[in-house]
């Protein structure tokens, strides 16, 4: 059988009758008792059937009962009959050719007798040139136990089960087991007016990917068991044709969990493939059809805060977050993340983010939006991510970059905008006074930094920046969010900065990532410096004054001490690039003059 990914070689007639192939990778399964099936995963066509022209030789179907000689199969039958005799006397045998055959057969027989005496056999020359192969001897009980002890972890865990590659799953298979990694796990969804519940999960192995769905009882049974990037053995369930309206994987079939389904954690420590992508350059997205499903990868230039948005179709409010990403096609696009994925987003500026199956939308320009089957990975260990990181760090992104979602961003409401304004214009237009935050960019200078209480001790966990509380009794640090005690902490910084441009000034708040760019030093180094060298600590802040940056700000009304205040937060910043800034100014001048 051919794996699904090779079907195109048949339809394109690259594989045709009488062609010669080289099988590079395959798996062999046993089905319906003793029937062997080989699934070819990778092959190379050495010569076309047209060039070969005819069948080579006279190949016949393999039949184990007809193709193995009797003198080979007979010892196997006799090997099942243990000898119970007790041989105590010495026999001197002159070995004739027929006797030699009998001795060969006896050599295969397991003996349970106690042999006290030795048989001296006079061997003929033919007996000497045809020694008994030790590999043909049956295992003794001691050897059998030793072999069981040396079994691999997977053999011990799986016993007699055969592992089927995901690409071999069809409706014709009755008994199957896959060993696969969970790459995507959806939220719990309601259907039938809330009477029913379901969730989707996607499994991947070296042969491909497949989607599985669990309803109601199976949801209660398996939802908490399955975790993303963890490996499992999965057996049982209904294999049915994939519904391509909702299932965008390449597999022709999908799974439904049922009462026969068994899922156990895989303890066998072997690497399985990560999520598989087929990336589209961002510059090609404007040519994609609306509602098309694509994979993209880019550098996160900015990301907004969580907002609430009312869905027109259902009238329900959902949490959302917008990101702005750029790739090496020198194009930017806005990506909307929803629900728990928006809540759990822990990425930061300049991270590499790979999106799987996001939907293309036409809303004030081309935008991308995550759907229920979408997922993302931050800084994945794949070649495309490494190449993109090198491109970005080399400064290639600093040239003039078009954004295909620019019309949405130009409204300045709810998105990560790139519209430039002065501080005076932002105040005059009352940005941020509505329920939703506003975004704009400004070219500004640092005037003053408020260093008081700018540092705090945070949870050392990678995905948590919560402030920790020191237990004075035992000296450990407690994180309320993680509900864990730690012996260490990490320094983080939040800084109030006064900015000014030619029209006005404004106080803004900078988070840890932006502070490290402003000060040119990490928060960890700054915290250690505060404790060890106060003069050097003060100098870091004084050296950061009167430097020019391009900053993108988020403005929103917030309540502080029972009072409404207009809070400005730095979303992203970078030193002013004269080339990019001059291009922007020339473009604005042309627009004002009606030449653009």
């Amino acid at each position: 059988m051919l794996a699904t990914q090779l079907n195109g070689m048949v339809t394109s007639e690259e594989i045709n009758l009488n062609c010669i192939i080289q099988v590079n990778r395959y798996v062999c399964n046993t089905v319906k008792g003793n029937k062997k099936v080989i699934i070819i995963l990778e092959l190379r066509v050495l010569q076309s059937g047209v060039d070969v022209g005819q069948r080579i030789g006279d190949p016949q179907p393999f039949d184990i009962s007809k193709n193995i000689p009797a003198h080979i199969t007979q010892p196997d039958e006799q090997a099942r009959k243990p000898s119970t005799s007790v041989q105590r006397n010495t026999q001197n045998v002159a070995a004739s050719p027929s006797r030699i055959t009998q001795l060969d057969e006896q050599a295969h027989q397991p003996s349970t007798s106690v042999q006290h005496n030795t048989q001296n056999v006079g061997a003929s020359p033919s007996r000497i040139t045809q020694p008994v192969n030790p590999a043909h001897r049956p295992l003794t009980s001691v050897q059998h136990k030793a072999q069981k002890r040396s079994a691999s972890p997977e053999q011990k865990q799986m016993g007699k089960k055969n592992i089927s590659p995901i690409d071999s799953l069809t409706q014709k298979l009755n008994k199957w087991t896959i060993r696969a990694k969970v790459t995507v796990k959806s939220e719990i969804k309601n259907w039938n007016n809330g009477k029913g519940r379901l969730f989707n999960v996607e499994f991947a192995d070296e042969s491909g990917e497949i989607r599985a769905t669990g309803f109601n009882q199976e949801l209660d049974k398996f939802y908490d068991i399955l975790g993303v990037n963890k490996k499992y053995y999965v057996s049982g369930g209904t294999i049915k044709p994939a519904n391509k309206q909702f299932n965008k994987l390449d597999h022709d079939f999908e799974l439904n969990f049922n009462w026969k389904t068994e899922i156990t954690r895989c303890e066998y420590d072997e690497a399985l493939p990560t999520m598989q992508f087929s990336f589209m350059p961002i510059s090609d997205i404007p040519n994609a059809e609306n509602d098309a499903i694509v994979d993209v990868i880019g550098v996160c230039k900015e990301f907004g805060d969580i907002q609430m948005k009312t869905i027109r179709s259902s009238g329900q409010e959902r949490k959302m977050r917008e990101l702005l990403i750029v790739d090496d096609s020198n194009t930017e696009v806005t990506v909307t993340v929803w629900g728990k994925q928006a809540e759990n987003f822990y990425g930061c500026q300049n991270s590499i983010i790979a999106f799987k199956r996001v939907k293309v939308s036409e809303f004030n320009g081309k935008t991308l939006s995550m759907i229920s089957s979408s997922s993302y990975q931050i800084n994945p260990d794949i070649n495309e991510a490494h190449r993109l990181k090198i491109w970005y760090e080399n400064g290639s992104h600093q040239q003039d970059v078009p954004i295909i979602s620019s019309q949405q961003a130009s409204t300045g409401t709810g998105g990560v905008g790139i519209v430039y304004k002065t501080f005076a214009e932002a105040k005059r237009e009352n940005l941020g006074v509505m329920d939703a935050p506003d975004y704009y960019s400004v070219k500004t200078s640092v005037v003053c930094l408020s260093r008081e209480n700018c540092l705090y001790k945070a949870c050392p966990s990678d995905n948590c920046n919560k402030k920790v509380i020191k237990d004075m009794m035992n000296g450990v640090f407690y994180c309320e969010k993680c509900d864990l005690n730690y012996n260490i902490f990490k320094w983080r910084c939040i800084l109030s900065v006064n900015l000014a441009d030619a029209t006005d000034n404004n106080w803004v708040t900078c988070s840890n990532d932006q502070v490290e760019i402003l000060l040119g030093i990490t928060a960890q180094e700054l915290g250690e410096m505060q404790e060890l060298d106060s003069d050097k600590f003060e100098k870091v802040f004084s050296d950061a004054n009167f430097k020019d940056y391009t900053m993108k700000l988020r403005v929103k009304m917030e309540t502080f001490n029972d009072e409404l205040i207009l809070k400005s937060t730095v979303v992203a910043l970078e030193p002013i690039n004269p080339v990019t800034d001059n291009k922007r100014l020339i473009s604005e001048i042309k627009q004002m003059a009606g030449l653009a």
Side-chain angles (χ1 to χ4, degrees):
M1 293 177 60
L2 288 180
T4 304
Q5 68 265 24
L6 301 181
N7 288 348
M9 300 181 71
V10 178
T11 56
S12 66
E13 297 187 354
E14 186 178 357
I15 296 177
N16 53 11
L17 188 64
N18 296 326
C19 72
I20 300 175
I21 66 171
Q22 173 180 302
V23 178
N24 296 327
R25 195 158 57 94
Y26 70 93
V27 292
C28 183
N29 288 332
T30 303
V31 296
K32 294 183 180 180
N34 295 323
K35 184 179 180 181
K36 300 286 186 181
V37 175
I38 291 177
I39 297 98
I40 300 177
L41 302 177
E42 185 178 322
L43 64 83
R44 183 163 67 94
V45 178
L46 301 181
Q47 194 166 3
S48 170
V50 177
D51 298 331
V52 176
Q54 62 184 358
R55 188 197 309 208
I56 300 175
D58 186 24
Q60 300 295 325
F62 180 78
D63 188 335
I64 190 169
S65 62
K66 296 180 181 179
N67 288 271
I68 299 181
H71 73 275
I72 295 178
T73 58
Q74 186 177 0
D76 291 335
E77 297 173 359
Q78 294 181 355
R80 302 188 186 98
K81 303 176 182 179
S83 174
T84 58
S85 63
V86 179
Q87 301 175 357
R88 298 179 181 274
N89 300 321
T90 303
Q91 296 178 350
N92 296 317
V93 182
S96 64
S98 61
R99 178 62 178 158
I100 293 171
T101 304
Q102 294 174 0
L103 290 174
D104 281 338
E105 295 170 355
Q106 292 174 0
H108 292 277
Q109 297 178 1
S111 176
T112 60
S113 64
V114 181
Q115 299 178 355
H116 293 284
N117 300 319
T118 307
Q119 293 180 340
N120 297 318
V121 181
S124 67
S126 61
R127 177 77 178 99
I128 297 173
T129 58
Q130 297 179 359
V132 177
N133 187 349
H136 293 168
R137 299 183 189 276
L139 294 175
T140 65
S141 60
V142 175
Q143 291 172 322
H144 182 70
K145 291 179 180 178
Q147 189 183 64
K148 286 187 70 176
R149 284 195 300 269
S150 62
S152 68
E154 184 184 31
Q155 290 170 336
K156 292 178 180 178
Q157 186 175 356
M158 288 303 297
K160 297 181 180 180
K161 292 182 180 179
N162 290 318
I163 304 298
S164 301
I166 284 177
D167 260 5
S168 71
L169 297 184
T170 67
Q171 290 179 297
K172 296 180 180 180
L173 288 181
N174 294 322
K175 294 183 179 180
W176 51 268
T177 299
I178 60 172
R179 189 186 78 237
K181 177 186 289 186
V182 174
T183 56
V184 176
K185 176 183 173 183
S186 74
E187 300 178 28
I188 296 175
K189 292 173 280 190
N190 295 321
W191 59 285
N192 193 16
N193 294 325
K195 296 179 181 179
R197 298 175 303 141
L198 65 87
F199 81 104
N200 302 115
V201 65
E202 293 177 12
F203 296 104
D205 68 5
E206 64 178 2
S207 70
E209 298 174 289
I210 194 167
R211 175 173 170 165
T213 304
F215 296 89
N216 300 327
Q217 294 180 352
E218 285 71 33
L219 183 150
D220 296 332
K221 185 177 180 181
F222 298 123
Y223 188 80
D224 293 332
I225 294 176
L226 295 169
V228 177
N229 292 326
K230 295 180 180 178
K231 294 175 290 184
Y232 300 89
Y233 293 108
V234 183
S235 61
T238 304
I239 302 177
K240 65 174 189 176
N243 185 346
K244 293 303 180 181
Q245 181 180 356
F246 304 103
N247 184 354
K248 302 301 180 181
L249 296 182
D250 292 334
H251 207 295
D252 294 332
F253 298 93
E254 61 187 17
L255 305 176
N256 275 0
F257 298 141
N258 58 27
W259 63 275
K260 294 182 179 180
T261 303
E262 295 182 4
I263 299 178
T264 56
R265 182 72 185 273
C266 176
E267 299 173 359
Y268 183 48
D269 188 17
E270 180 183 345
L272 286 174
T274 57
M275 192 183 298
Q276 300 176 13
F277 297 94
S278 179
F279 293 119
M280 171 184 283
I282 295 178
S283 59
D284 290 349
I285 292 176
N287 300 323
E289 296 182 359
N290 289 339
D291 298 329
I293 305 299
V294 299
D295 300 347
V296 295
I297 186 170
V299 182
C300 180
K301 294 189 66 175
E302 348 175 335
F303 61 92
D305 293 335
I306 291 179
Q307 306 171 45
M308 299 301 297
K309 185 170 183 177
T310 302
I311 307 301
R312 293 181 182 178
S313 58
S314 63
Q316 297 178 343
E317 284 194 339
R318 290 194 67 192
K319 293 181 179 179
M320 59 167 285
R321 188 195 296 268
E322 290 188 332
L323 320 176
L324 184 67
I325 64 171
V326 61
D327 70 357
D328 50 7
S329 67
N330 282 318
T331 313
E332 298 175 351
V333 67
T334 300
V335 185
T336 304
V337 186
W338 299 91
K340 287 187 177 180
Q341 290 178 319
E343 291 183 54
N344 299 332
F345 179 80
Y346 60 89
C348 60
Q349 189 179 345
N350 301 336
S351 295
I352 309 295
I353 307 182
F355 291 93
K356 177 80 171 178
R357 290 193 301 278
V358 288
K359 186 174 74 171
V360 178
S361 301
E362 182 77 41
F363 179 70
N364 293 326
K366 290 285 188 179
T367 61
L368 300 176
S369 179
M370 295 189 69
I371 55 179
S372 59
S373 62
S374 303
S375 59
Y376 65 81
Q377 288 188 351
I378 297 177
N379 295 323
D381 186 15
I382 55 178
N383 292 333
E384 293 87 347
H386 300 316
R387 186 186 71 247
L388 194 59
K389 187 175 182 63
I390 293 173
W391 169 82
Y392 192 78
E393 290 180 346
N394 287 339
S396 302
H397 66 286
Q398 294 180 354
Q399 55 184 296
D400 193 18
V401 178
I403 173 170
I404 59 178
S405 311
S406 58
Q407 293 181 23
Q408 179 186 15
S410 66
T411 63
T413 58
V416 280
I418 60 168
V419 175
Y420 280 81
K421 297 182 181 296
T422 64
F423 286 131
E425 287 175 332
K427 291 180 180 179
R428 187 168 57 248
E429 295 175 13
N430 293 321
L431 295 184
V433 298
M434 304 300 289
D435 292 336
D438 286 328
Y439 294 81
Y440 69 97
S441 297
V442 62
K443 187 169 70 172
T444 183
S445 299
V446 175
V447 176
C448 177
L449 300 96
S450 177
R451 61 185 66 88
E452 294 182 10
N453 301 320
C454 64
L455 287 163
Y456 71 94
K457 297 174 182 178
C459 175
S461 174
D462 291 338
N463 300 330
C464 179
N465 298 320
K466 184 77 174 178
K467 185 177 180 179
V468 294
I469 303 169
K470 185 174 182 180
D471 189 333
M472 302 305 297
M473 297 296 293
N474 53 24
V476 299
F477 300 91
Y478 173 69
C479 176
E480 291 180 333
K481 180 179 179 181
C482 301
D483 194 22
L484 293 173
N485 290 321
Y486 298 96
N487 294 322
I488 60 173
F489 64 89
K490 64 183 177 184
W491 286 106
R492 288 188 66 84
C493 189
I494 295 180
L495 194 63
S496 292
V497 182
N498 188 256
L499 305 175
D501 64 5
T503 64
D504 206 337
N505 73 323
N506 193 15
W507 281 96
V508 301
T509 300
C510 292
S511 62
N512 190 82
D513 294 338
Q514 285 79 41
V515 172
E516 291 182 347
I517 297 175
L518 281 175
L519 301 182
I521 189 174
T522 65
Q524 189 66 30
E525 293 171 335
L526 188 65
E528 295 171 357
M529 191 182 296
Q530 182 185 35
E531 295 181 337
L532 301 175
D533 192 339
S534 59
D535 292 338
K536 195 173 182 180
F537 176 80
E538 294 292 334
K539 188 175 186 301
V540 169
F541 286 90
S542 61
D543 289 346
N545 286 323
F546 308 113
K547 292 185 177 179
D548 298 331
Y549 296 91
T550 297
M551 296 192 183
K552 294 172 185 177
L553 306 180
R554 171 187 179 272
V555 190
K556 189 176 187 299
M557 295 296 295
E558 296 187 1
T559 303
F560 182 75
N561 290 336
D562 296 328
E563 293 184 6
L564 281 175
I565 61 171
L566 187 65
K567 183 179 178 180
S568 298
T569 305
V570 177
V571 175
L573 65 88
E574 60 184 5
I576 291 178
N577 183 325
V579 175
T580 303
D581 193 54
N582 284 339
K583 287 183 178 180
R584 177 184 64 84
L585 292 173
I586 292 172
S587 176
E588 289 183 359
I589 292 171
K590 288 181 178 180
Q591 289 178 356
M592 292 178 182
L595 301 176

